[in-house]
Amino acid sequence: MHKFSKLLNKKSRLVIGILSGTSVNSVDLVLLKINNSNKKSSIKVLAFQSYPIKNNIKNEILRISSKKYGNVENICKMNFIIGRMFAEKINNFIKSLNLNADKIDLIGSHGQTVYHYPFDVKFEDYSSKSTLQIGDPSVIANLTNITTVGDFRNADVAVGGNGAPLVPHLDYVFFSDRHEDRILINIGGIANLTYLKKNTDKDDLIAFDSGPGNMLIDGLMREFFNQQYDKDGKIAESGNFNNLLFYQLLNYDNYFKMIPPKSTGREYYGNEFVKFIISKSKNISKKDVIRTVSEYTAYTIWHNISYFLRTDDNTKIYVSGGGADNKFLIKILKKYFPENVIEKVNVKGINSKNKEAVLFALLANETINYISTNIPNVTGAEKEVLLGKICLA
């Protein structure tokens, strides 16, 4: 325990953040130097690396994430396979920086979400609200020899929250401003929003998952073109908008219209949703489908901002996540927000590519400092709680 006691007493730590998102395209790692905690936190981004996920592993993750093909044996096996893969990437990352593992104080790992069930359905009077991320943090800790914090969503769900979104804590710590209203849009597989009024308090912060990010576009790209994603939005830009398909999507999708707090994931915008789109697109060109679904993705973001945030033209919009690199998607967003300034996140070393990895490094450091990082008015939780399980190395 001497090693852990020494970790607890540090004011400054070297922390690795790691995740693979709902798009399952890559494993992202960041190395931070973090001083202090909460609003006093300061960070220096020392390195960032993104490692592609092998297609066989990606396909298996997508397969076990569906109700039809997921089973206890496959999920059990992949829980350790993903943990071992994360550990391997971390060890390679450290080696590439010419560092030794004993120089790294902590790892924060989100894991890989395979199912998210934010519904308070009762079973024998117990809530079945739940979430499951695989890539066990104990596997990571023991294969890297670095104390690891993981499973950040579970504690919030235990006290009635949705377990998502988690990024508002980072947004509040590093992006709140005394003079400027800001919206931060993270477009990963799912799109989530954080609204920071100028000079905001944590209790006034608004954040939620708005709906699809890259997930529907990526799913259709795999089905239609055997490509993992629409690079720069070029396929979408070459297509034509289909009004009928767009309105069929509006009528089919109940999630984006829901009042916050809310969260969602692959269980809603996954294979079944993609199959619905394909079933309604038999006489529509594939490029037109990608074009229309890209428009729909931007529309759901606009709808949630317009109906639930009530912002004005002076609110600045910052975009991060893989969708920030989809030039055509950003072009559509600018059409919906013609008077607002929209730009990629680039503040204090945090950019559109590394932001989520930075988040999990920060959350791990906060947990070690005994800082609660869920935000009850965002997740719907009954109270503030410490997030994450600490797995000692």
Side-chain angles (χ1 to χ4, degrees), residues 125-145:
D125 296 326
Y126 299 107
S127 173
S128 58
K129 183 178 281 194
S130 51
T131 188
L132 181 61
Q133 286 73 44
I134 61 173
D136 193 277
S138 184
V139 175
I140 299 169
N142 283 283
L143 294 182
T144 61
N145 201 34

Side-chain angles (χ1 to χ4, degrees), residues 21-24 58 61-63 65-66 112-116 189-190 215 218-219 222 264-274:
T22 47
S23 294
V24 203
K58 174 175 181 172
I61 291 170
L62 297 179
R63 193 173 75 91
S65 298
S66 70
Q112 174 63 58
T113 299
V114 291
Y115 208 76
H116 187 65
I190 299 298
M215 189 172 288
D218 291 353
R222 287 192 295 272
T264 190
R266 188 170 296 284
E267 72 286 344
Y268 189 86
Y269 289 108
N271 290 335
E272 295 304 315
F273 206 115
V274 170

